[in-house]
Amino acid sequence: MAHELKDLTEVMEAESARGVPSQDLLDGVRRRVRRGNRLRAAAAAFGAVLVAGTAFGIVQQDGNARGRDALAPTMTGVVNPDFPGSAGRDGMLPLKEVRFSKLRAKGWFTVTPTGPFIGTALRCSGDFMVYKERKPGLFDSGGCDTGTPDDNATSVFKVTPGVPITFKVVAVPLKDGGQGPSTWGSMADIDRYLAGHGPMPGEWSVLVYSGQCDSDTCTMSTRPPTQPKQLPVAGLKRLARVTGTADGSSRTVPLKEPGKSTRMRVTCVDGAAAAVVRIGGRTKIVDCESAESTGIVWDQDVEGGTDAIEIAVLPAEAGKVHGTGDAALAKLMKGVKPAGRWTLEVYAR
């Protein structure tokens, strides 16, 4: 049966009537009070430690975030406010110029296309190579010097108007990453290089145009491929795969094993136009620009076999290829900047 307040009061009064509690009882109460105070003080101190630990954790996490940011693009660049008032290019209007002040340091910027095309040009204070990536796998590079943007590497590509595009960019001295077999083909290559090379001063900028492009370059970038149905490479054993920049220089590509009957594919993008392929004493000029989305595929039989192939690829600016010797190619490249990327694949047939 539950007790009412009146019942509890009567019990307490009866207990009080017995007299003053013993000294032992009072001492026990005092000990319990002191113990309770110590526990509360300890708990408060422990709480302070927890708070301090949380703050330290936040600092540590923030430090890790800064470490991650150090691996990400480090320069946002400075926008030239006067650029939108400058002249257009290939029918496109000036959209944004972003200036950077360091070489060997990754940067980034975002633009929103105003039309179905975007074109980029470069302006540099020295002899640099500029690498750009607008999404994973869409990577291009080009030479740049103290000349005007018309003299430096350019690129044009189709876009969706109103959809922002973020570019990752980096510039390096031409001697660091320009021509030859060591040319980089992705931002992963750039990251490996930057891990061992610190930033250095250097002025350069990327000029971006957008709108309806009316040049032959834009027409070629949108026209459907005119090549016949491509020969398949699926299921074939690959003997070699190599990429490079269209700079006109000859490059020897070793095969994993000697081949007599081969199927080859050359793919050119971002301005690479013509490939000169030498195999087994024969030379073939490949108009790889005409089918940049799928590549040019052909079969090549080699009497007695071969363990290497030579290839040289030229940009569109070099013009029509007639002579295929190294001297003739060097003459075509005189005054022409490397531009565009190419890939050669060789399969056993």
Side-chain angles (χ1 to χ4, degrees):
M1 182 177 66
H3 294 289
E4 296 180 355
L5 178 60
K6 179 180 178 182
D7 299 325
L8 296 175
T9 303
E10 291 176 354
V11 172
M12 293 175 65
E13 290 176 347
E15 290 295 325
S16 300
R18 295 181 181 179
V20 179
S22 67
Q23 186 65 34
D24 293 340
L25 179 57
L26 291 175
D27 290 342
V29 171
R30 291 189 184 100
R31 285 194 300 271
R32 285 193 295 271
V33 170
R34 286 194 297 269
R35 182 172 180 271
N37 288 339
R38 288 196 302 271
L39 290 174
R40 282 190 294 274
F46 181 67
V49 171
L50 286 179
V51 172
T54 303
F56 180 74
I58 292 173
V59 171
Q60 290 295 92
Q61 291 173 1
D62 184 60
N64 290 338
R66 284 194 295 268
R68 288 192 297 271
D69 289 343
L71 298 176
T74 56
M75 302 183 294
T76 56
V78 177
V79 176
N80 177 9
D82 298 326
F83 180 68
S86 60
R89 184 184 187 92
D90 297 326
M92 297 175 288
L93 297 177
L95 183 60
K96 180 183 286 189
E97 178 185 4
V98 187
R99 296 171 172 172
F100 300 93
S101 59
K102 291 182 180 179
L103 306 177
R104 299 175 179 167
K106 289 174 69 176
W108 64 275
F109 64 88
T110 299
V111 294
T112 301
T114 56
F117 289 89
I118 268 189
T120 65
L122 306 172
R123 181 178 284 128
C124 300
S125 64
D127 294 334
F128 307 148
M129 283 291 291
V130 178
Y131 298 83
K132 306 191 301 293
E133 183 182 64
R134 63 184 186 270
K135 64 173 62 175
L138 296 180
F139 180 86
D140 67 88
S141 62
C144 181
D145 59 21
T146 54
T148 67
D150 289 335
D151 298 327
N152 294 323
T154 62
S155 62
V156 177
F157 48 93
K158 291 203 70 176
V159 294
T160 302
V163 178
I165 300 172
T166 296
F167 286 84
K168 294 179 182 178
V169 293
V170 64
V172 302
L174 186 62
K175 61 182 178 62
D176 286 353
Q179 307 172 27
S182 62
T183 301
W184 304 311
S186 69
M187 273 297 171
D189 294 336
I190 297 290
D191 289 336
R192 284 190 288 269
Y193 168 80
L194 295 181
H197 297 77
M200 62 182 293
E203 303 290 335
W204 57 284
S205 64
V206 181
L207 290 66
V208 184
Y209 303 82
S210 186
Q212 181 61 56
C213 184
D214 60 7
S215 72
D216 292 339
T217 302
C218 303
T219 303
M220 286 190 297
S221 68
T222 57
R223 69 186 182 190
T226 57
Q227 295 298 119
K229 185 177 180 180
Q230 294 288 351
L231 296 170
V233 297
L236 299 180
K237 183 178 182 179
R238 191 165 69 188
L239 303 180
R241 183 182 187 277
V242 65
T243 64
T245 296
D247 57 14
S249 60
S250 182
R251 180 171 179 176
T252 300
V253 181
L255 303 183
K256 293 181 180 179
E257 60 184 51
K260 291 184 178 181
S261 182
T262 61
R263 178 164 293 174
M264 293 187 283
R265 176 165 62 186
V266 174
T267 305
C268 296
V269 297
D270 297 329
V276 176
V277 181
R278 306 183 185 110
I279 177 172
R282 300 178 182 179
T283 300
K284 181 179 179 66
I285 300 175
V286 182
D287 179 21
C288 53
E289 186 181 41
S290 64
E292 70 168 18
S293 60
T294 57
I296 301 294
V297 184
W298 75 98
D299 290 337
Q300 185 79 52
D301 292 329
V302 185
E303 294 182 6
T306 184
D307 58 3
I309 293 173
E310 287 187 65
I311 182 172
V313 182
L314 293 85
E317 189 180 352
K320 188 73 173 178
V321 177
H322 298 287
T324 59
D326 288 342
L329 299 183
K331 184 177 181 180
L332 285 174
M333 286 297 299
K334 188 174 182 179
V336 176
K337 299 292 183 182
R341 302 287 303 174
W342 57 267
T343 302
L344 168 67
E345 299 163 277
V346 184
Y347 297 87
R349 183 164 55 92

